[in-house]
Amino acid sequence: MQLSKSIEDYIEAIYILEQESKTVKSIQIATQLSVSKPAVHKAMDELQKKGLIEKTSYSGIELTAKGRKLAKEVYAKHMLIYNFLLQIGVSKETAEIDCCKIEHVISEETIACLKKQVHS
Amino acid sequence: MQLSKSIEDYIEAIYILEQESKTVKSIQIATQLSVSKPAVHKAMDELQKKGLIEKTSYSGIELTAKGRKLAKEVYAKHMLIYNFLLQIGVSKETAEIDCCKIEHVISEETIACLKKQVHS
DNA sequence: GCAGAAAGTTAAATTAGATTAACTTTTTCT
DNA sequence: AGAAAAAGTTAATCTAATTTAACTTTCTGC
């Protein structure tokens, strides 16, 4: 499945919010990603069409098994890049900003190579 | 000056083409970046408005001093990331693809840290 | 020097992702 | 329970970057 950058951001945000609060509300995602409520709404439509989340009107949002699997992959990539950046001396603040962007454009091959760099 | 990803791609393409052929034509840029002629045309309008290129109707395209300075910066970033990727074992093909995307999203701080990694 | 090809330009339409404004539904608090 | 606030939804609009189609200008080769 080919996901757009923004869809990856949304699914990752849901995954992170899921771990903090039992049910994930649209407004939390909007706050987390600094986007408007309608932007979240449209993105949730999209995620639902792709079978990545479950949601009925005015209810909470839940990842499906498929959605959670994907979210975990995105998040793992995020953490790998983040840790690599810290390791080479980037500040936490910048590492967080940069890895959010890099995670959407980096190839699997490069991810595999980075994996060997981290912790070494 | 805050440049969009696509504008950075165009200016970088001009910089590279400038070194191969004396005058840079719109069609060469279109071929290089795999975009349509009108896309190049609009981008050139934009670059001209920003004072980064010189161009009169139906003539060749030239970087201004300001444009060349910027192009060099973008290109240097490109090569730094490319070389780093090779160094960690990424193939040339993938390194080229990935660095083209990473160069548009990476911070100056991370670039500085990467610089210390390359060649070491 | 002129016809056809190549390059450049213009206009209109498309796409993805967002926004604001206005409205509806749900929640919360007294 | 009902009013006010909060959250969700819908509609209309915007922007950036692109495309196709059609047209104009320039170049090239006979």
Side-chain angles (χ1 to χ4, degrees):
Chain A
M1 178 170 314
Q2 203 25 14
L3 298 176
S4 72
K5 287 165 215 222
S6 98
I7 286 299
E8 281 187 1
D9 277 334
Y10 283 110
I11 206 165
E12 192 180 3
I14 297 169
Y15 181 73
I16 291 166
L17 288 168
E18 226 185 27
Q19 301 176 318
E20 296 167 4
S21 53
K22 200 59 204 159
T23 67
V24 177
K25 311 304 292 297
S26 183
I27 192 73
Q28 296 175 282
I29 302 168
T31 304
Q32 173 102 348
L33 298 178
S34 299
V35 295
S36 65
K37 291 184 292 170
V40 176
H41 189 73
K42 290 226 179 141
M44 294 309 106
D45 262 13
E46 195 68 21
L47 287 176
Q48 192 158 33
K49 267 183 208 143
K50 289 188 192 296
L52 302 174
I53 61 168
E54 280 296 346
K55 147 176 189 305
T56 49
S57 272
Y58 293 97
S59 73
I61 293 154
E62 283 182 48
L63 289 170
T64 60
K66 187 177 163 193
R68 184 164 300 105
K69 182 167 171 293
L70 256 164
K72 271 185 189 166
E73 286 167 21
V74 175
Y75 188 65
K77 224 187 263 189
H78 178 102
M79 290 311 297
L80 175 68
I81 299 166
Y82 179 73
N83 286 326
F84 168 74
L85 292 177
L86 289 190
Q87 187 176 300
I88 65 170
V90 178
S91 70
K92 283 182 188 174
E93 298 72 35
T94 303
E96 187 56 40
I97 293 167
D98 281 15
C99 79
C100 276
K101 296 176 185 165
I102 295 171
E103 72 190 43
H104 300 305
V105 300
I106 202 169
S107 67
E108 285 309 313
E109 183 185 339
T110 298
I111 282 291
C113 293
L114 266 190
K115 218 170 265 175
K116 290 179 206 148
Q117 296 290 314
V118 174
H119 282 159
S120 64
Chain B
M1 179 169 315
Q2 199 32 8
L3 297 178
S4 73
K5 288 167 213 225
S6 99
I7 286 298
E8 281 188 1
D9 277 334
Y10 283 110
I11 206 165
E12 192 180 3
I14 297 169
Y15 181 72
I16 291 166
L17 288 168
E18 226 185 27
Q19 299 176 320
E20 296 166 4
S21 53
K22 201 59 203 160
T23 67
V24 177
K25 311 304 291 299
S26 181
I27 191 75
Q28 296 176 282
I29 302 169
T31 304
Q32 172 103 349
L33 298 178
S34 298
V35 295
S36 65
K37 291 184 292 170
V40 176
H41 189 74
K42 291 229 179 140
M44 294 309 105
D45 262 14
E46 195 68 20
L47 287 176
Q48 193 159 33
K49 266 183 210 144
K50 289 188 194 296
L52 303 173
I53 62 167
E54 280 294 345
K55 148 176 186 307
T56 48
S57 272
Y58 294 97
S59 74
I61 292 154
E62 283 181 50
L63 290 170
T64 60
K66 186 177 163 192
R68 184 164 300 107
K69 181 165 171 293
L70 257 163
K72 270 185 189 166
E73 285 167 23
V74 174
Y75 188 65
K77 223 187 261 188
H78 178 103
M79 290 312 296
L80 175 68
I81 298 166
Y82 179 73
N83 286 326
F84 168 75
L85 293 177
L86 289 190
Q87 188 177 298
I88 66 171
V90 179
S91 70
K92 282 182 190 175
E93 298 72 34
T94 303
E96 188 56 41
I97 293 167
D98 281 16
C99 78
C100 277
K101 296 176 185 164
I102 295 171
E103 71 190 43
H104 299 304
V105 300
I106 201 170
S107 66
E108 286 309 313
E109 182 185 340
T110 299
I111 282 290
C113 292
L114 265 190
K115 218 170 267 177
K116 291 180 206 145
Q117 296 290 314
V118 174
H119 281 158
S120 64

